[in-house]
DNA sequence: CTTTGTGCAAAGCCTTTGCACTCGC
DNA sequence: GCGAGTGCAAAGGCTTTGCACAAAG
């Protein structure tokens, strides 16, 4: 994801306004390699800006998604995860014990292609590989 | 998924009771190669048994999952999909236009392995590959 | 000044749950 | 009969939305 300054410019260029609240959300996500829930972003930003509402975070996150600056993941844990890593194609490891989501890269030739059996019948725009299991931290307590 | 009779026996063997409602849910799923939502199963069963409640469908579906007779998928479309195909390992094509989910098989050597970079740090129990895109039916109207 | 963003609270959607009644076993 | 299953309706998460006020451009 881009820096706060870059995002400020992109938002303005799109006719979107930039507020301190939005910049606080930008800052909370920039350089973050986690996959926070909207709630988690809200909590984090709240410490510096106690009146920010969840609504503002949801809207900012959706605007960021529309600009392609984040991806919103639904890994089946109930809440949406915000993934600020959009530069590199990657996939995910989901720990079913702690709910943490971790990125994992695939070598280009390891990304599964659409099987021949359905080529021509389905026109994919993206592939997502999700490994579910237990992370090391949860395995040895 | 197994037949209504087989499921009846398995349920009884587990100390679970078998009611006409549950058998109606079994029947709605057996031999179904779709991925209905709980709501869709409920509607379908309702035509023959108008008083069946959503609660009963949810509970039956969860019991089926506990016995490994169905898989519950969350493909990020809001509702859970019930996948009666548990015999063959397979993956999914999700049409972002109509919401339909279709099975797709991978050759054994095409299923992506956990990348070397994280081996030893994560202990997967399952891999899920989801292709998102548009199905043929939606492409040409 | 116009228009978008914000905060609050209420509503929506899907799923789960409490309770009393029913009915499998 | 005992206890799990059922139906109804209410409650629970998470996300979205209506409204009036605030503030960016």
């Amino acid at each position: 994801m881009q820096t706060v300054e870059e995002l400020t410019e992109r938002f303005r260029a799109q006719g979107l306004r930039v507020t301190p609240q939005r910049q606080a959300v930008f800052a909370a996500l920039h350089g973050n390699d986690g996959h926070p829930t909207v709630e988690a972003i809200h909590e984090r930003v709240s410490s510096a800006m106690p009146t920010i509402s969840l609504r503002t975070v949801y809207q900012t996150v959706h605007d960021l998604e529309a600009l392609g600056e984040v991806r919103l993941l639904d890994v089946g844990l109930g809440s949406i995860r915000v993934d600020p890593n959009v530069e590199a194609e990657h996939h995910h490891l989901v720990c079913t014990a702690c709910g943490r989501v971790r990125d994992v890269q695939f070598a280009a030739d390891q990304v599964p292609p659409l099987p021949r059996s359905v080529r021509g019948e389905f026109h994919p725009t993206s592939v997502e590989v999700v490994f579910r299991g237990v992370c090391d931290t949860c395995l040895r307590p």
Side-chain angles (χ1 to χ4, degrees), chain A residues 29 34-38 40-41 61 65 70-84 92 94-95 98-102:
Chain A
L29 288 170
H35 302 73
T37 62
V38 172
I41 299 171
V61 155
E65 186 198 23
V70 301
R71 259 203 293 168
L72 301 185
L73 305 178
D74 182 347
V75 290
L77 295 173
S79 353
I80 286 174
R81 304 307 186 104
V82 180
D83 186 346
H92 295 102
V94 177
C95 176
C98 65
R100 254 189 287 266
V101 177
R102 189 177 150 182

Side-chain angles (χ1 to χ4, degrees), chain A residues 42-59:
Chain A
H42 180 247
E43 274 172 28
R44 182 158 165 187
V45 171
S46 288
S47 60
M49 186 180 280
T51 68
I52 191 172
S53 73
L54 254 186
R55 177 196 178 116
T56 300
V57 181
Y58 273 109
Q59 182 165 319

